[in-house]
């Protein structure tokens, strides 16, 4: 008998809008030393499945309608709250997605780490403060925190995202659980950090022989770490099997669709770059922000700056799709916004078709704004929640005098056709759409003014992989039909490769390397670029396992 | 094709039209609206429909409980309570309306500007608010009264000028979070002017808390007027207002309870109506609440 056996689990949400079957008849089992990956897109029920095991779901609206989850012979779904508390503190641990929000910002990480040791509900296992401290420091060392004794008394904000996730892992392991549930533990992290964290989880698992349930939307990540995979969609299990079978001998259509949606390989569209016809020329651009954080003790208090963009020069040719790649904090978004004059430039110049737009006043810029537009990352934040789709799309047209009262309806309808949304949806508000549809609306707004240049800031990062593929194809299609030039900003190298003619790699505010996409992929010159390219997880279990093994 | 054009005409509707459709379906809110409209109508027509004159005394009768001639009784001077409440409503509703409108206008604009522009402008604007907060508002109003003479509309305005401070703070906080949202940046990149962005993208998104706070401001404004009148700074007897009637009613509440109960009841009904309407409006103006 396996450590955890889930049989016919059903979780329903009784909401005002009716019954939602979040998890519908899901069964799986996982044993010590094994890793089970639950893969699915948002809304597939993968997180709900695991949250219901630890009784972490809000009830109501959630209700467990059936099934059993035998952990070591005890049913987790029916045990009382004392027993559940004991399971939570001693047997089953969880790592959450966002290390920024899963640590309490007001308590030192050491204090948070030893909490489960000191306040163990099982009194016989509770430890004294000094013993707990030693144990915590030992574990911090094991998860790769340098100088753990000193770091023990630091607050979460003094750690980077990757380091916080390491702390979270230490916290999860501190009572030596037998089952570890990881809910998208690397989704919020940069690709190089992700590789490190995955290797760490793998290493710790092998050493302790714990069972791991790994929830992810990313098949590339799953390929390396999982022994078995279940693919979920809309609350049901679509396919289950060992990792090799899922990836190499795929049976289910949905799984095939997921695998096919991963952007792979080079750009399919022929390049439309017009050489020697630069649309945008950026010269020695610097964008600094004042740093108001407390200076280090002893340092003189003088004006300090965060150099978000530090002396960057680049050009974008007419008809080109230029990819801009970098990890978080590399300054890639700030660069995009500086080109559009949305962020204040400290030094340098930006020329648009020969005109120095960085020297224009806000008022003089207005006619230029029509020619350059932006697509934002988060389609939930980039649309005004109190404006209907119609209003959102009509606003730029009316404001720039591109339509009058007579033609506006028709023009807005055409925009909807352009981005592949039904005209009947015009009256709806943004919250009535899915993420992918919202991003289509945002794209429609960006192309409304018939711009020449579009800066797309991570336009597909917030989307599921199948939706991401659709939106990418829409963008490529629009670029061709409307003869657009594009700066495509992304942290996702596969996406950039799929879409760009040329790529710029940025790190810490400076350009590291630039080159034609395929040439750069084939032979990256700079160590940083090599490191980035190597860290991309591929949906190929064999190569991923080999890499994880070598990393740990 | 025709069908789709029809759809578009519908699509032309905006937040406010949608809000009205939703509000009509909210029974409590409509009840509130009807009650308020009725009160307003009665107040407008009071000089013609009031059973007695508001200063018509009947000293022989004195304070009498409700009867067939005087439905709500009479006060110690024998003046008809129903009449006095009706006349009082004219003052109270006007003060509620004008002072709140003043507070709303100044507060929303001030807060939105400070929050949106930010930086030094924000610092200066909000320090001014702090200073006004610290200033005892009584002194402020007395000063206004001394300089401009006693005038009932000036009084309304003065109350509004005191009540906008909290509104400004609420709106500023909202705006500060809103202006960092991507849809505001998107509006910038469309080339919209600052004023258009404030008007179209910022203010509509602050409506929820503003409406709730407005429904709280109206009663506090009415009570403030009563307080000022009680001190002799507001309206003077024989004129009346609900607040004034209530404060006189409190003095004699043991002997003549009806002098307190009836004006109190009227005020309470008004406040209930206001709150139901306010809640309804807040929900109606939030597109995230469902249309049905």
């Amino acid at each position: 008998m396996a450590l955890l056996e889930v049989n016919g689990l059903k979780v329903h949400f009784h909401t005002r809008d009716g019954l939602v079957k979040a998890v519908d008849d899901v069964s799986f089992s996982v044993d010590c030393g094994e890793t089970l990956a639950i893969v699915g897109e948002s809304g597939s029920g993968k997180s709900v499945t695991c949250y219901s095991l630890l009784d972490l779901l809000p009830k109501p609206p959630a209700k467990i309608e059936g099934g059993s989850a035998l952990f070591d012979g005890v049913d987790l779904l029916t045990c009382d709250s004392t027993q559940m508390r004991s399971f939570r503190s001693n047997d089953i641990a969880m790592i959450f997605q966002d290390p920024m929000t899963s640590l309490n910002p007001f308590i030192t990480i050491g204090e948070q780490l030893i909490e489960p040791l000191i306040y163990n509900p099982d009194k016989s296992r509770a430890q004294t403060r000094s013993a707990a401290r030693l144990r915590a420091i030992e574990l911090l060392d094991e998860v790769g925190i340098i100088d753990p004794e000193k770091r023990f008394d630091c607050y979460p904000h003094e750690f980077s995202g990757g380091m916080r996730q390491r702390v979270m892992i230490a916290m999860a392991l501190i009572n030596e659980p037998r089952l570890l549930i990881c809910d998208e533990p690397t989704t919020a992290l940069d690709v190089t950090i992700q590789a490190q964290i995955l290797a760490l989880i793998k290493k710790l698992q092998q050493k302790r022989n714990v069972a791991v349930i790994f929830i992810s939307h990313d098949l590339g990540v799953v390929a390396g770490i999982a022994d078995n995979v279940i693919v979920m969609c809309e609350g049901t299990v679509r396919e289950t099997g060992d990792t090799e079978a899922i990836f190499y001998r795929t049976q289910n259509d949905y799984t095939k669709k997921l695998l096919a949606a991963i952007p792979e390989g080079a750009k399919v569209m022929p390049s439309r770059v017009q050489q020697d016809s630069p649309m945008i020329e950026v010269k020695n651009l610097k964008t600094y922000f004042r740093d108001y954080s407390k200076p280090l003790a002893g340092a003189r208090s003088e004006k300090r700056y965060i150099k978000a963009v530090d002396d960057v020069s680049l050009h974008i040719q007419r008809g080109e799709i230029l990819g801009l790649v970098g990890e978080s904090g590399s300054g890639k978004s700030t660069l995009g916004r500086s080109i559009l004059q949305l962020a204040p430039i400290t030094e340098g110049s930006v020329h648009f078709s020969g005109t120095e737009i960085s020297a224009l006043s806000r008022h003089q810029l207005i006619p230029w704004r029509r020619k350059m537009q932006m697509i934002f990352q988060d389609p939930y934040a980039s649309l005004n929640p109190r404006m209907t789709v119609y209003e959102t799309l009509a606003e730029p047209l009316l404001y720039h005098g591109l339509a009058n009262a007579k033609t506006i309806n028709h023009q807005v309808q055409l925009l909807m056709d352009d981005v592949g949304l039904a005209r009947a949806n015009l009256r709806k508000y943004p919250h009535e759409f899915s993420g992918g549809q919202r991003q289509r609306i945002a794209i429609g707004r960006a192309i409304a003014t018939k711009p020449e240049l579009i800066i797309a800031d991570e336009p597909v990062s917030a989307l599921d992989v199948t939706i991401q593929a659709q939106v990418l194809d829409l963008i490529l299609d629009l670029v061709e039909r409307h003869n657009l030039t594009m700066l495509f900003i992304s942290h996702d190298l596969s996406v950039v490769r799929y879409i760009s003619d040329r790529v710029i790699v940025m790190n810490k505010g400076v350009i590291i390397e630039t080159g034609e996409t395929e040439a750069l992929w084939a032979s990256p010159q700079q160590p940083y670029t090599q490191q980035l390219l190597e860290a991309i997880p591929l949906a190929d279990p064999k190569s991923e396992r080999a890499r994880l093994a070598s990393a740990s | 094709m025709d069908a789709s054009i029809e759809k578009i005409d519908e699509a032309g509707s905006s937040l406010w039209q949608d809000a009205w459709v939703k509000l009509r379906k909210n029974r409590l809110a409509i009840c509130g609206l009807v009650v308020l409209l009725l009160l307003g109508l009665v107040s407008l027509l009071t000089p013609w429909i009031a059973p007695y004159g508001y200063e018509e005394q009947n000293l022989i009768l004195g304070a009498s409980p409700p009867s067939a001639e005087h439905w709500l009784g009479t006060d110690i001077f024998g003046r008809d309570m129903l009449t006095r409440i009706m006349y009082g409503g004219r003052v109270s509703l006007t003060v509620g309306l004008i002072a709140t409108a003043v507070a709303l206008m100044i507060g929303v604009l001030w807060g939105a500007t400070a929050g949106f522009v930010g930086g030094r402008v924000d610092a200066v604007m909000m320090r001014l608010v702090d200073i006004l907060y610290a200033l005892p508002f009584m002194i402020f109003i007395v000063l206004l009264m001394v300089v401009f003479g006693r005038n009932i509309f000036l009084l309304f305005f003065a109350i509004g000028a005191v009540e906008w401070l909290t509104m400004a703070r609420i709106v500023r906080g909202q705006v500060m979070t809103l202006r960092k949202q991507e849809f505001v940046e998107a509006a910038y990149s469309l080339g919209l002017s600052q004023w258009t962005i404030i008007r179209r993208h910022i203010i509509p998104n602050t409506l929820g808390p503003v409406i709730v706070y407005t429904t709280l401001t109206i009663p506090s404004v009415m009570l403030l007027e009563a307080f000022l009148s009680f001190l002799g700074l507001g309206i003077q007897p024989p004129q009346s207002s609900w607040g004034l009637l209530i404060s006189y009613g409190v003095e004699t509440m043991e002997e003549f309870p009806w002098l307190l109960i009836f004006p109190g009841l009227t005020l309470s009904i008004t406040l209930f109506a206001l709150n139901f309407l306010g809640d309804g409006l807040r929900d109606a103006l939030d597109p995230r609440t469902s249309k049905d």
Side-chain angles (χ1 to χ4, degrees):
Chain A
M1 185 166 155
L3 179 68
L4 174 69
E5 278 189 11
V6 175
N7 266 311
L9 178 66
K10 281 185 186 155
V11 184
H12 294 177
F13 282 79
H14 298 269
T15 69
R16 245 194 270 170
D17 303 326
L19 183 76
V20 180
K21 295 182 177 179
V23 178
D24 197 14
D25 197 10
V26 167
S27 307
F28 58 85
S29 71
V30 57
D31 210 349
C32 293
E34 265 181 15
T35 302
L36 171 79
I38 304 182
V39 179
E41 299 187 288
S42 50
S44 63
K46 56 190 193 299
S47 292
V48 173
T49 303
C50 292
Y51 281 51
S52 63
L53 297 181
L54 278 180
D55 196 21
L56 290 174
L57 289 174
K59 295 182 194 170
K63 190 163 182 245
I64 290 170
E65 299 282 357
S68 65
L70 296 181
F71 182 84
D72 225 4
V74 184
D75 192 351
L76 293 174
L77 302 180
T78 52
C79 69
D80 61 35
S81 59
T82 334
Q83 229 175 340
M84 177 52 76
R85 233 189 112 199
S86 163
F87 276 130
R88 282 187 199 151
S89 53
N90 292 322
D91 299 300
I92 307 175
M94 193 145 183
I95 302 171
F96 297 91
Q97 172 169 352
D98 190 355
M100 302 295 162
T101 55
S102 48
L103 289 166
N104 184 339
F106 286 95
I107 304 179
T108 62
I109 58 130
E111 209 45 51
Q112 295 184 58
L113 266 171
I114 60 176
E115 245 175 8
L117 289 175
I118 298 177
Y119 303 106
N120 197 319
D122 191 351
K123 291 283 181 258
S124 61
R125 294 179 66 170
Q127 296 186 11
T128 63
R129 180 166 280 271
S130 53
R133 188 188 150 93
L134 283 179
R135 168 90 185 99
I137 287 172
E138 183 191 331
L139 206 56
L140 279 177
D141 190 41
E142 199 180 336
V143 297
I145 302 279
I146 297 153
D147 203 0
E149 296 215 20
K150 230 168 156 183
R151 301 295 267 168
F152 185 85
D153 293 316
C154 290
Y155 288 90
H157 73 267
E158 297 172 75
F159 291 82
S160 67
M163 285 297 147
R164 278 187 231 191
Q165 200 60 301
R166 285 171 192 268
V167 172
M168 273 304 292
I169 292 171
M171 203 185 292
L173 293 176
I174 200 144
N175 264 335
E176 297 294 342
R178 287 182 287 167
L179 173 64
L180 182 63
I181 300 173
C182 309
D183 186 5
E184 304 255 13
T186 59
T187 306
L189 304 175
D190 281 324
V191 58
T192 49
I193 310 292
Q194 165 171 294
Q196 294 167 11
I197 296 290
L198 288 176
L200 176 68
I201 292 176
K202 194 82 199 161
K203 187 181 92 179
L204 293 170
Q205 178 196 15
Q206 279 162 357
K207 190 172 159 201
R208 285 152 208 268
N209 201 32
V210 292
V212 172
I213 297 179
F214 195 95
I215 304 171
S216 182
H217 70 283
D218 189 335
L219 283 162
V221 168
V222 166
I225 202 160
D227 300 307
N228 296 300
V229 178
I230 66 175
V231 180
M232 280 185 76
C233 179
E234 289 165 2
T236 58
V237 174
R238 292 300 166 95
E239 188 165 4
T240 169
D242 67 66
T243 308
E244 310 231 322
I246 294 278
F247 280 86
Y248 298 136
R249 299 182 295 280
T250 317
Q251 300 293 327
N252 183 275
D253 287 338
Y254 177 72
T255 316
K256 282 180 189 159
K257 194 173 136 198
L258 272 185
L259 283 166
I262 300 172
E264 225 172 334
K267 189 171 172 230
V268 278
M269 206 175 73
S271 167
R272 298 166 30 262
V273 183
Q274 302 169 25
Q275 291 300 341
D276 302 321
S277 166
M279 173 176 283
I280 288 285
E281 275 189 290
V282 176
K283 284 185 193 137
N284 303 98
L285 183 74
K286 291 180 186 170
T287 304
Y288 292 175
F289 297 109
R290 271 292 292 284
D291 181 3
Y292 291 102
S293 65
K294 211 173 64 183
L296 294 169
R300 275 192 307 136
S301 71
E302 55 188 13
K303 282 187 183 175
R304 287 170 308 130
Y305 295 93
I306 296 163
K307 298 178 178 178
V309 177
D310 198 9
D311 202 6
V312 164
S313 301
L314 61 89
H315 61 92
I316 309 174
Q317 303 286 357
R318 223 161 263 283
E320 185 176 39
I321 302 181
L322 176 64
L324 178 55
V325 172
E327 298 188 292
S328 53
S330 62
K332 56 188 192 302
S333 288
T334 308
L335 175 59
R337 293 172 58 235
S338 299
I339 293 175
L340 285 185
Q341 310 300 310
L342 289 173
I345 292 174
T346 312
E347 239 181 85
S349 65
V350 179
H351 289 259
F352 188 121
S353 301
T355 308
E356 188 178 345
I357 52 170
S358 51
L360 299 178
S361 71
R362 192 198 291 267
H363 191 71
Q364 288 169 317
L365 257 177
I366 291 178
W368 290 95
R369 289 249 176 257
R370 194 175 73 71
K371 299 184 184 177
M372 42 189 201
Q373 285 297 315
M374 186 146 182
I375 302 170
F376 295 88
Q377 169 171 4
D378 184 357
Y380 290 88
S382 65
L383 298 172
N384 186 338
R386 287 170 199 257
M387 275 164 73
T388 59
V389 178
Y390 179 88
E391 289 177 283
T392 299
L393 293 179
E395 183 172 54
L397 289 168
L398 293 172
Y399 193 81
H400 286 287
L402 299 172
N404 56 40
K406 268 187 198 152
T407 60
I408 184 72
N409 284 352
H410 186 58
Q411 292 210 31
V412 170
Q413 286 182 329
L414 289 181
L415 272 178
M416 290 292 270
D417 297 346
D418 246 359
V419 296
L421 289 172
R423 292 178 175 187
N425 285 328
L426 278 172
R427 209 180 126 65
K428 291 188 182 168
Y429 288 92
H431 75 274
E432 296 172 71
F433 294 94
S434 69
Q437 288 172 321
R438 282 166 175 236
Q439 199 58 301
R440 284 171 190 266
I441 299 168
I443 292 172
R445 176 179 57 189
I447 61 167
T449 58
K450 300 253 178 293
E452 295 167 31
L453 171 77
I454 286 192
I455 294 189
D457 188 1
E458 305 256 14
V460 295
S461 318
L463 307 177
D464 280 323
V465 59
T466 53
I467 308 296
Q468 170 176 314
Q470 291 166 12
V471 172
L472 279 178
D473 287 337
L474 172 72
I475 289 176
L476 279 175
D477 178 49
L478 290 172
V479 163
E480 189 165 0
R481 267 196 290 147
H482 295 277
N483 204 17
L484 297 167
T485 303
M486 180 173 271
L487 177 66
F488 190 96
I489 302 170
S490 181
H491 71 283
D492 188 331
L493 292 122
S494 320
V495 169
V496 169
R497 184 183 186 193
Y498 181 74
I499 204 165
S500 325
D501 300 304
R502 195 159 59 91
V503 175
I504 288 178
V505 181
M506 241 181 121
N507 187 28
K508 293 179 183 160
V510 296
I511 291 181
I512 300 287
E513 188 167 358
T514 167
E516 301 292 322
T517 308
E518 282 316 298
L520 189 96
W521 246 260
S523 58
Q525 300 300 310
Q526 300 295 326
Y528 178 73
T529 316
Q530 288 163 4
Q531 209 185 326
L532 266 187
L533 288 177
E534 275 164 22
I536 311 173
L538 304 170
D540 178 13
K542 277 183 193 140
S543 65
E544 281 304 300
R545 277 183 193 160
R547 193 174 66 189
L548 266 186
S550 70
S552 56
Chain B
M1 191 64 202
D2 281 344
S4 61
I5 284 176
E6 231 167 75
K7 278 254 157 56
I8 288 292
D9 284 342
E10 254 177 62
S13 76
S14 66
L15 187 68
W16 296 96
Q17 283 161 309
D18 280 347
W20 173 235
V21 171
K22 273 199 260 179
L23 191 68
R24 273 193 311 206
K25 290 187 183 149
N26 186 336
R27 207 172 291 161
L28 266 180
I30 290 298
C31 281
L33 187 64
V34 169
V35 167
L36 289 176
L37 286 177
L38 266 176
L39 283 167
L41 197 69
V42 168
S43 299
L44 265 178
L45 300 178
T46 294
W48 296 280
I49 61 170
Y52 298 88
Y54 72 93
E55 40 190 347
E56 218 172 274
Q57 298 188 355
N58 187 345
L59 290 172
I60 300 157
L61 189 62
S64 68
S67 62
E69 288 88 55
H70 300 282
W71 291 355
L72 304 183
T74 55
D75 69 3
I76 46 170
F77 300 110
R79 292 178 296 199
D80 182 54
M81 274 309 279
L82 179 60
T83 308
R84 289 187 66 73
I85 290 175
M86 282 164 83
Y87 273 98
R90 286 163 74 88
V91 173
S92 286
L93 289 178
T94 323
V95 79
L97 211 67
I98 295 183
T100 307
V102 168
L104 202 65
M105 291 267 281
I106 307 180
V108 169
L109 283 180
W110 193 273
T113 312
F116 189 74
V117 178
R120 266 187 212 139
V121 177
D122 173 46
V124 171
M125 286 175 89
M126 291 325 280
R127 287 308 77 73
L128 203 77
V129 169
D130 290 345
I131 292 169
L132 288 178
Y133 254 125
L135 218 69
F137 78 97
M138 287 302 304
I139 295 183
F140 181 67
I141 290 175
V142 171
L143 227 76
L144 276 176
M145 293 291 158
V146 169
V147 175
F148 294 103
R150 197 145 73 205
N151 173 320
I152 196 158
F153 284 96
L154 185 67
L155 174 80
F156 297 163
F157 181 82
I159 294 175
V162 171
E163 288 286 326
W164 66 271
L165 299 170
T166 314
M167 185 73 84
R169 282 201 166 171
I170 292 173
V171 173
R172 171 179 173 265
Q174 287 272 311
V175 170
M176 284 180 78
T177 51
L178 281 171
R179 78 173 169 149
K180 296 205 178 85
Q181 300 255 333
E182 280 184 347
F183 69 83
V184 173
E185 207 171 14
Y188 260 123
S189 73
L190 288 173
L192 266 54
S193 71
Q194 291 218 17
W195 172 238
T196 314
I197 294 174
I198 295 185
R199 192 169 48 86
R200 280 181 61 90
H201 293 277
I202 303 269
I203 291 183
N205 279 294
T206 61
L207 283 176
V210 166
I211 288 171
V212 171
Y213 186 69
T214 304
T215 53
L216 292 175
T217 304
I218 293 177
S220 84
V221 159
M222 288 181 180
L223 296 175
L224 200 59
E225 176 271 326
F227 179 50
L228 288 171
S229 299
F230 195 65
L231 291 178
L233 289 167
I235 54 157
Q236 292 303 307
Q239 281 188 310
S240 74
S241 73
W242 291 344
L244 213 51
L245 288 176
I246 289 171
S247 47
Y248 285 128
V250 170
E251 287 172 29
T252 57
M253 124 180 138
E254 281 175 13
E255 302 116 288
F256 318 120
W258 60 91
L259 294 186
L260 175 61
I261 290 171
F262 292 116
L265 212 59
T266 323
L267 187 64
S268 312
I269 289 171
T270 313
L271 299 191
F272 269 121
L274 267 171
N275 275 313
F276 289 143
L277 181 64
D279 282 358
L281 267 177
R282 185 196 54 199
D283 290 346
L285 281 168
D286 187 349
R288 277 160 290 199
T289 59
S290 69
K291 279 184 192 157
D292 329 287

